[in-house]
Amino acid sequence: MVPISYYLILAAALFCLGMFGVLIRRNALVVFMCVELMLNAANLTFLAFAKQNGDLTGHVSAFFVIAVAAAEASIGLAIVIAVFRSRGTVNIDEIRTMKH
Amino acid sequence: MEALKQFFMTAPVDPATFAQSLWLIIALPLLGAFVCGVFGKMLGRGNVHLIACATVAGSFVLSVLAFWSVSHVQGGTPVAMESVYSPNAIRYAIGYDYGTWFSVGTFRVNFGLLVDHLSGTLLLVITGVGFLIHLYSTSYMEHDDGYWRYFAYLNLFVAAMLTLVLADNLVLLFVGWEGVGMASYLLIGFWYTDAAKAWAGRKAFITNRIGDFAFLIATFLIVLLVSAFNSQANVANFTTVSGAAETAQVRFREGQQLKGPVAFQGLEVLANALPQNAKVNAQAAVTLETPIAEGPLAGRTFGGVLTVALLLFLLGAAGKSAQFPLYVWLPDAMAGPTPVSALIHAATMVTAGVYLFSRMSFLLVLSPTAMTTVAIIGTITSLLAALIAFAQDDIKKVLAYSTVSQLGIMFMGVGAGIFWAAVLHLVTHAFFKACLFLGAGSVMHGNADETDIKKLGGLRHEMKWTWGTFLVATLAITGIVPLSGFFSKDAIFHGLHHNHLHGYESVTHALYYVGLLIAASTAFYMSRAYLLTFEGKRSPEAKIAHAHESAWQMTLPLVVLAVLSVVALVYALPLMPGRSGPQPVMENFLGPVFASAERIAGRADLVKLDHSVPGFGDYLFAWLVALTGGAAAAFLYMKYFPAQVGKPAPAFARSVRRFTQNKFYVDEAYEFLVIRPVKNVSGILYKLVDTLLIDTVAVRGTAWVTARVGSALRYVQTGDAQGYAAVMALALLGGAVYALIQVLQ
């Protein structure tokens, strides 16, 4: 059996990739994809620990994360489309509306 | 004769009724100042003259009434004022208390006015001479556009001086003290468009402020001293005040609560209740040698604090009365209009110091050290000023230094304890010096404002009235026998010779001989000024060929003053019966005022006051001294110098003359010793504290820090989602690192 640390290292690598993507990328869609990546890294750790402990808590958590992420992605995509319609771009450098 | 005596001893108004109107004496000139100052321009010249002269004349009439009331005798008892401080009423005094002026805790000052023989005499001098000078000014200032401003200031000055004299406590006196200082600043710098004259005003003002500061500290010391006395003295202290010591103590405490610690009557009781040492009053809890038990002065003796306070009062008086360290403003004050010089710098304001010490004579006799210092300062001033006057060519400067010198003589009198003679000299000096100054003004008026006595000469025939009055006044100040100046000055010198300040006997004796030198110098320089101005031929350098006599408004005051400076001699003659033989009129007259001082001096062995009358030999000697000085001047300036015209003067004579003419470089020494260091220190402080510490560090530094912090914190709120995410990521990293460290440990 593969030791748990391998799963955790993989999850950490995925999380970091996603995080850097969120921090660096300009395109809102790519940023969303990177957020998904981070969530999946988290799911991976949940599942790894669930397997190790031999109970279902981790599975349930992962299930909820996926469900919430799907809902969030649908709303986020709706916002991105609305922003694209009004501004003609999804470059997050140019849509700093949180300033006000 | 008996009827005349009766007339003078019955006041036309009941003294108790009149006392309530004392405030009018001050209010009238104040009203005049207000009207002239605010509406003067609209009123026109004639009306301003009328208002200014009428208000002072009104004050004069009221002063006469006040004076008359003070001399009121009904059924053989003189007018007496109830004293809240002691069971004994004050003899020959009327006063009225208009209630509390202000009070802070137990400290209280009342607006109380008091007229006794001393302030009555001063009232007459101020309003009488003041009125003559107002009258003179109407002609002297007839071509000046600022006449309304001038008369407003002049009235203001008279009001302030009257406040000073009428005040029955130190704080109200200080109000008048400051008032005359301000009015004198305004008048000296009257022609403010001329920078030099404005500077002279500033110099007078600042020099006076130094003295006033000392005056204030001295007042605070007196307040502390009174409260220390209140807590420490016992009944036995008051046995000296009156028969029933307990009543006296109770009344003193009540008086303190009613009128505050700075009233002169209270200080008089205090001085009476402060025995010199245990030998005088063995039961007394407080003597001059007792240390103060508590409060800010704890550990100092009563006598020591009193001496320090009196010395500070001396510094204050030196500022106002132009005495030694602070006399420099008076000669420069001649920049103002000439009548101002006569009013302020001869007759009234400068005598405030003499008045102050006469008023507080009962405290002064408790401290021979302070008395000696006063006498020494007076002598130094007098001699220095007399020597400087030797070589001044400006007629007003000669008179100014002569005033400084005469004031020094008055201080010698006060310091030696011959208060009545000092006051008499104050009065006679007011007459003849005002006459001299107004005469000088008349000379300038008739000679196109020429003030250099070398460029005058021969005015005797062209300005007859001015000449005659100036001659009388010169003889008076010189000390020629039948005139008042001789008697008042000689009374001071005689007392100086005979009084004893214990521990300082040799000092007063030495001062007497310096006094003779001063008398001879006075005779010399005054004769010189007179001879060069009025005798001989008209100087070829004169501005105009023929001088003209001034208008009657100017000559009338001159004549009145000249007559007064002759007849005032009566006051020095020993015509009154005294306890030990005949007494001079003035001494008898001021007796009630200086009774406390006499009693205190008589009780202990600090000061021994002498009451002998100068004999014929003394008079002859003094007369010879004055005559020598005058004769020397006459010989030099009538015979010797005119014969030497054309020949070069020897080098040493020229250098001595230059040294004297430059006033012994005292101004330069002050500049070097005081003004320059103060300027440098303030320059350094300005650079260090103002520019560096406050401007750079405090003001600009705060702004700099705020701006830097602001620009750093700006990145926190860009509205950039990624920026926020980065911050979160960093926080996460930090948390992770922290968790890792915790786990690894």
Side-chain angles (χ1 to χ4, degrees):
Chain A
M1 192 181 146
V2 185
I4 191 161
S5 58
Y6 283 52
Y7 291 103
L8 291 183
I9 289 167
L10 175 66
L14 279 177
F15 186 86
C16 288
L17 279 174
M19 194 178 78
F20 280 106
V22 167
L23 291 182
I24 287 163
R25 297 307 294 257
R26 296 278 177 264
N27 192 316
L29 289 171
V30 180
V31 169
F32 265 116
M33 282 153 69
C34 293
V35 170
E36 296 297 324
L37 202 56
M38 284 158 75
L39 290 173
N40 280 329
N43 282 342
L44 192 55
T45 54
F46 279 131
L47 291 174
F49 283 120
K51 178 76 177 157
Q52 193 187 32
N53 284 350
D55 66 5
L56 284 175
T57 319
H59 293 276
V60 173
S61 300
F63 180 75
F64 272 106
V65 167
I66 288 169
V68 170
E72 183 221 310
S74 62
I75 292 174
L77 275 174
I79 293 173
V80 167
I81 289 165
V83 167
F84 182 76
R85 283 230 180 110
S86 67
R87 308 212 173 187
T89 176
V90 288
N91 190 338
I92 55 171
D93 268 357
E94 292 164 32
I95 42 176
R96 293 179 173 173
T97 51
M98 276 162 73
K99 207 172 191 171
H100 305 293
Chain B
M1 196 64 197
E2 197 54 41
L4 195 70
K5 204 172 153 191
Q6 204 58 44
F7 176 73
F8 279 117
M9 286 179 150
T10 314
V13 191
D14 176 41
T17 319
F18 183 75
Q20 297 171 19
S21 320
L22 281 177
W23 64 276
L24 270 175
I25 298 180
I26 301 171
L28 267 181
L30 207 57
L31 180 75
F34 175 76
V35 173
C36 292
V38 177
F39 307 110
K41 229 173 178 174
M42 299 171 230
L43 288 172
R45 211 173 275 271
N47 288 329
V48 167
H49 289 170
L50 182 69
I51 290 167
C53 293
T55 51
V56 179
S59 271
F60 177 67
V61 172
L62 287 173
S63 301
V64 170
L65 284 177
F67 193 70
W68 206 335
S69 302
V70 170
S71 308
H72 184 80
V73 178
Q74 206 157 32
T77 3
V79 62
M81 191 178 125
E82 275 296 305
S83 170
V84 292
Y85 284 98
S86 75
N88 303 338
I90 312 170
R91 287 289 173 88
Y92 294 107
I94 61 169
Y96 198 75
D97 203 328
Y98 296 93
T100 307
W101 179 18
F102 61 81
S103 64
V104 183
T106 56
F107 180 75
R108 170 193 293 272
V109 177
N110 276 27
F111 192 86
L113 302 180
L114 173 83
V115 180
D116 59 5
H117 280 173
L118 176 62
S119 46
T121 312
L122 267 282
L123 278 184
L124 291 185
V125 170
I126 294 160
T127 50
V129 177
F131 172 71
L132 291 176
I133 287 164
H134 273 70
L135 181 66
Y136 179 96
S137 301
T138 57
S139 171
Y140 191 84
M141 301 297 282
E142 65 186 336
H143 302 302
D144 201 287
D145 286 332
Y147 63 93
W148 53 279
R149 202 159 52 86
Y150 173 81
F151 281 102
Y153 292 165
L154 218 53
N155 269 357
L156 182 68
F157 176 84
V158 172
M161 191 68 202
L162 291 171
T163 314
L164 196 164
V165 170
L166 281 170
D168 87 333
N169 60 58
L170 270 172
V171 176
L172 191 57
L173 187 145
F174 188 68
V175 172
W177 190 270
E178 286 297 297
V180 289
M182 186 187 72
S184 111
Y185 160 74
L186 292 171
L187 283 165
I188 295 167
F190 179 72
W191 288 308
Y192 58 85
T193 43
D194 182 338
K197 289 172 180 165
W199 269 102
R202 276 175 65 173
K203 188 173 178 181
F205 195 70
I206 290 167
T207 318
N208 265 301
R209 286 290 82 64
I210 299 172
D212 295 344
F213 187 57
F215 187 110
L216 270 183
I217 298 173
T219 310
F220 296 145
L221 279 181
I222 293 285
V223 171
L224 291 177
L225 195 72
V226 171
S227 71
F229 177 78
N230 270 340
S231 65
Q232 264 180 273
N234 62 15
V235 175
N237 274 105
F238 292 88
T239 49
T240 41
V241 178
S242 78
E246 259 169 63
T247 332
Q249 191 187 20
V250 169
R251 288 198 70 131
F252 181 68
R253 297 271 152 83
E254 279 173 0
Q256 295 276 290
Q257 273 166 10
L258 203 66
K259 295 197 75 173
V262 286
F264 291 123
Q265 302 163 37
L267 293 178
E268 196 171 330
V269 174
L270 172 91
N272 273 304
L274 259 180
Q276 281 78 7
N277 51 41
K279 248 189 288 173
V280 179
N281 184 351
Q283 286 90 45
V286 172
T287 67
L288 284 181
E289 291 157 357
T290 313
I292 293 172
E294 54 188 34
L297 299 175
R300 312 276 188 278
T301 61
F302 279 89
V305 173
L306 190 65
T307 303
V308 170
L310 286 171
L311 289 179
L312 284 168
F313 274 126
L314 173 63
L315 188 57
K320 200 65 55 184
S321 294
Q323 292 300 296
F324 168 55
L326 301 177
Y327 74 91
V328 286
W329 66 271
L330 185 57
D332 284 357
M334 298 303 123
T338 308
V340 171
S341 310
L343 177 62
I344 299 179
H345 310 123
T348 56
M349 167 177 156
V350 290
T351 58
V354 182
Y355 172 75
L356 178 74
F357 277 125
S358 302
R359 182 45 80 222
M360 301 207 299
S361 52
F362 41 81
L363 287 181
L364 196 62
V365 288
L366 285 174
S367 172
T369 316
M371 287 182 87
T372 318
T373 317
V374 171
I376 291 175
I377 289 289
T379 314
I380 292 175
T381 312
S382 188
L383 188 64
L384 190 70
L387 293 181
I388 291 174
F390 266 55
Q392 297 297 318
D393 286 337
D394 186 320
I395 186 164
K396 282 180 77 180
K397 282 265 163 78
V398 175
L399 296 179
Y401 279 106
S402 138
T403 305
V404 175
S405 174
Q406 297 296 311
L407 287 166
I409 292 177
M410 291 175 214
F411 268 68
M412 289 162 81
V414 169
I418 322 120
F419 300 105
W420 72 269
V423 175
L424 178 62
H425 197 56
L426 186 162
V427 174
T428 58
H429 176 254
F431 294 150
F432 56 65
K433 188 51 68 63
C435 185
L436 285 172
F437 263 120
L438 295 184
S442 178
V443 166
M444 285 160 62
H445 205 65
N447 289 280
D449 286 333
E450 180 60 78
T451 56
D452 191 338
I453 48 177
K454 292 247 164 104
K455 297 176 185 168
L456 291 162
L459 294 178
R460 183 177 176 169
H461 307 291
E462 285 159 343
M463 306 179 75
K464 281 213 159 55
W465 286 106
T466 310
W467 163 71
T469 52
F470 202 94
L471 176 63
V472 170
T474 308
L475 291 179
I477 194 173
T478 309
I480 296 301
V481 113
L483 296 138
S484 59
F486 169 78
F487 289 100
S488 54
K489 194 192 295 181
D490 198 55
I492 289 179
F493 288 155
H494 180 79
L496 202 60
H497 197 34
H498 288 87
N499 276 5
H500 290 288
L501 306 174
H502 279 269
Y504 302 99
E505 278 88 352
S506 52
V507 178
T508 43
H509 281 292
L511 293 187
Y512 169 67
Y513 293 105
V514 183
L516 292 180
L517 184 63
I518 293 166
S521 312
T522 310
F524 181 88
Y525 68 76
M526 281 314 297
S527 307
R528 168 177 177 269
Y530 163 75
L531 293 170
L532 287 178
T533 311
F534 291 98
E535 300 289 338
K537 284 198 206 68
R538 196 164 177 77
S539 164
E541 293 169 85
K543 275 192 192 162
I544 48 177
H546 287 286
H548 66 85
E549 183 58 283
S550 310
W552 70 269
Q553 291 101 323
M554 288 170 77
T555 49
L556 179 69
L558 286 176
V559 173
V560 174
L561 287 169
V563 171
L564 283 175
S565 50
V566 179
V567 298
L569 79 98
V570 176
Y571 291 107
L573 299 181
L575 298 175
M576 304 298 272
R579 224 169 283 150
S580 50
Q583 219 177 8
V585 179
M586 196 74 171
E587 184 175 4
N588 187 286
F589 179 67
L590 291 175
V593 182
F594 299 126
S596 274
E598 295 280 343
R599 190 163 55 238
I600 293 165
R603 205 156 54 214
D605 51 357
L606 286 180
V607 182
K608 184 173 158 293
L609 300 182
D610 177 85
H611 295 285
S612 66
V613 172
F616 191 71
D618 298 324
Y619 280 144
L620 194 69
F621 183 56
W623 192 46
L624 279 179
V625 168
L627 220 54
T628 317
F635 169 72
L636 282 177
Y637 287 92
M638 302 304 284
K639 272 255 165 12
Y640 183 72
F641 286 136
Q644 301 285 313
V645 169
K647 290 181 202 161
F652 87 92
R654 263 181 300 170
S655 63
V656 166
R657 184 177 153 74
R658 201 176 320 116
F659 187 65
T660 321
Q661 219 163 16
N662 287 323
K663 300 165 268 179
F664 296 164
Y665 298 100
V666 172
D667 273 326
E668 283 76 3
Y670 280 3
E671 170 83 29
F672 186 73
L673 289 175
V674 182
I675 300 171
R676 198 92 56 80
V678 169
K679 257 189 186 167
N680 289 343
V681 168
S682 29
I684 290 169
L685 284 180
Y686 166 71
K687 283 261 156 64
L688 210 70
V689 176
D690 258 54
T691 323
L692 189 75
L693 223 63
I694 294 179
D695 284 359
T696 312
V697 176
V699 177
R700 259 180 263 148
T702 316
W704 187 83
V705 168
T706 317
R708 284 290 151 281
V709 170
S711 62
L713 288 177
R714 210 171 57 201
Y715 296 105
V716 177
Q717 258 199 333
T718 50
D720 181 2
Q722 279 181 319
Y724 293 165
V727 173
M728 277 161 72
L730 281 175
L732 210 63
L733 185 67
V737 169
Y738 178 71
L740 216 60
I741 290 170
Q742 291 293 318
V743 168
L744 288 179
Q745 273 176 355

